[in-house]
Amino acid sequence: SAGSSTQLTDSTYSGTDQYKACVRRGYDVWCAPYSADKVLKIDTSAGSSTQLTDSTYSGSNLYASCVLVAENTNSKMWCAPYSADKVLKIDTYAGSSNQLTETYSGTDQYKSCVAVGPDASATVWCAPYSADKVLKID
């Protein structure tokens, strides 16, 4: 039952404020970098974790809000920039990530996002935290 025991996984990660926003897809948990430089995948079935090696992100307070769109082969995790300057897309099926090309400036921009619509065609809406406009990702 939940809360009756604890255990650490096999991998070690150093630093502070590494991950803040995570989503679940099946038995995997995907975490966007906050001050870490890579996306984290936690395989809850195996009790292990790995960092994606396809892209490296620099900075701090990068992503604080993410949402999963579709839980199938089209699964994408969209992360709104908190202090990053671009939206982050994580393909949870392919195990890859990249930033979109549009650039946003500022710090503490977006902390809350939701997906609206059916599965893969859903639109992500993010409320401004310190930004001055609502962010729409589709």
Side-chain angles (χ1 to χ4, degrees):
S1 68
S4 60
S5 69
T6 62
Q7 176 181 346
L8 299 175
T9 63
D10 56 350
S11 300
T12 301
Y13 305 99
S14 61
T16 58
D17 296 330
Q18 295 182 72
Y19 299 96
K20 189 168 270 204
C22 299
V23 299
R24 179 192 64 82
R25 178 183 175 265
Y27 290 98
D28 295 330
V29 176
W30 295 83
C31 304
Y34 189 66
S35 292
D37 63 354
K38 293 179 175 45
V39 172
L40 178 67
K41 176 186 176 189
I42 303 168
D43 180 338
T44 65
S45 295
S48 63
S49 60
T50 57
Q51 289 179 312
L52 300 187
T53 57
D54 65 329
S55 297
T56 301
Y57 307 100
S58 62
S60 60
N61 309 329
L62 298 171
Y63 300 98
S65 179
C66 299
V67 65
L68 183 70
V69 174
E71 196 161 338
N72 54 38
T73 57
N74 291 323
S75 292
K76 304 290 185 286
M77 179 175 160
W78 296 99
C79 305
Y82 188 61
S83 292
D85 62 356
K86 296 180 180 181
V87 170
L88 177 64
K89 178 179 82 170
I90 302 170
D91 185 327
T92 61
Y93 186 75
S96 62
S97 66
N98 67 290
Q99 291 177 314
L100 301 187
T101 57
E102 296 85 2
T103 302
Y104 304 93
S105 62
T107 58
D108 306 341
Q109 298 176 84
Y110 300 95
K111 276 179 74 168
S112 180
C113 296
V114 297
V116 178
D119 291 334
S121 63
T123 299
V124 176
W125 295 93
C126 304
Y129 186 68
S130 290
D132 60 359
K133 295 182 179 181
V134 170
L135 176 63
K136 176 184 173 186
I137 307 168
D138 59 358

